[in-house]
Amino acid sequence: MRTVIAGGHGKIARRLERLLASRGDQVAGLIRNEDHAGDLLDAGAEPIVCDLESAGAEEVARHLAGADAAVFAAGAGPGSGAARKDTVDRGAAVLFADAAERVGVRRLIVVSAMGVDDEPPPGTDPVFAAYLRAKGAADADVRSRSGLYWTVLRPGRLTDDPGTGTVLLAQSAPRGAVTRDDVAAVLVALLDHPATAGLTLDLVGGPTPIDEAVAAVLA
């Protein structure tokens, strides 16, 4: 399998790259900063310099051509303002989906966040509210596409603790934390189970081994 990951230098993406490369898959990561190429090579991934805020769908499509699957794991990141929440967390996700459709890469997994279908409650920090709205709009766009076998994964609060290998994965789950290690492992399992297409799944730490958790949402 060849998988192309948007946001290839992100914390989840690099974990995913290592997992895929270690089992012999081909994996490439789109990065904005060419100085990050070495980190991707260390993870076993092919670095592709492509700024999703300035690239067009045709350019992104060239990078996706020949892939079996695509994963959107990009984000504006901490310290960015409301405008970049829209251009990256929404705009880049829509662009990535457009490019995937253009070259027939039908399997797309989007890393989103819990609770983004709802309007942010009053008093929410304006930048965080912009992030939630951008993620919600991106998810809605992707889920409207009949030409893609999409899955939207919505982790809870992310931590850098060691992975546990057990999670709670469901179409609706109580809020909680989850390790980035476990998010990456769940992404691998979702890639291996294309029947999860069409599902929007919450993910937090829990008691169920990851393979069993994925099987359960398919049951």
Side-chain angles (χ1 to χ4, degrees):
M1 177 185 287
R2 176 174 172 82
T3 301
V4 177
I5 303 170
H9 193 255
K11 291 183 177 181
I12 291 172
R14 278 182 286 163
R15 287 166 167 82
L16 176 58
E17 288 157 3
R18 290 189 192 95
L19 291 174
L20 293 174
S22 68
R23 69 179 195 174
D25 284 9
Q26 295 182 14
V27 58
L30 303 185
I31 54 174
R32 194 163 55 95
N33 185 345
E34 63 182 10
D35 292 340
H36 293 157
D39 292 334
L40 269 71
L41 291 170
D42 289 344
E46 173 195 353
I48 299 174
V49 178
C50 177
D51 186 347
L52 291 174
E53 288 184 272
S54 60
E58 184 174 342
E59 177 186 346
V60 181
R62 288 199 303 271
H63 299 315
L64 281 167
D68 300 293
V71 176
F72 184 82
S80 57
R84 291 200 69 230
K85 303 304 184 189
D86 183 70
T87 57
V88 179
D89 292 285
R90 183 200 59 79
V94 171
L95 171 66
F96 198 61
D98 286 342
E101 284 191 314
R102 183 172 294 204
V103 291
V105 180
R106 302 194 71 185
R107 184 68 173 123
L108 172 65
I109 300 177
V110 174
V111 181
S112 184
M114 292 181 71
V116 299
D117 286 336
D118 303 321
E119 178 64 15
T124 301
D125 173 79
V127 174
F128 187 61
Y131 164 77
L132 295 174
R133 293 188 183 105
K135 280 293 192 186
D139 290 359
D141 178 276
V142 168
R143 292 187 295 181
S144 72
R145 297 173 184 254
S146 60
L148 293 175
Y149 300 137
W150 55 263
T151 303
V152 175
L153 182 66
R154 292 176 164 176
R157 181 175 56 83
L158 298 168
T159 78
D160 289 324
D161 296 333
T164 64
T166 62
V167 297
L168 173 57
L169 181 70
Q171 294 189 49
S172 180
R175 291 184 181 272
V178 63
T179 73
R180 289 180 172 89
D181 286 347
D182 288 330
V183 175
V186 168
L187 288 170
V188 172
L190 294 176
L191 287 169
D192 287 345
H193 291 82
T196 55
L199 297 179
T200 300
L201 300 169
D202 289 349
L203 173 66
V204 295
T208 307
I210 287 170
D211 286 344
E212 293 180 19
V214 172
V217 299
L218 292 172

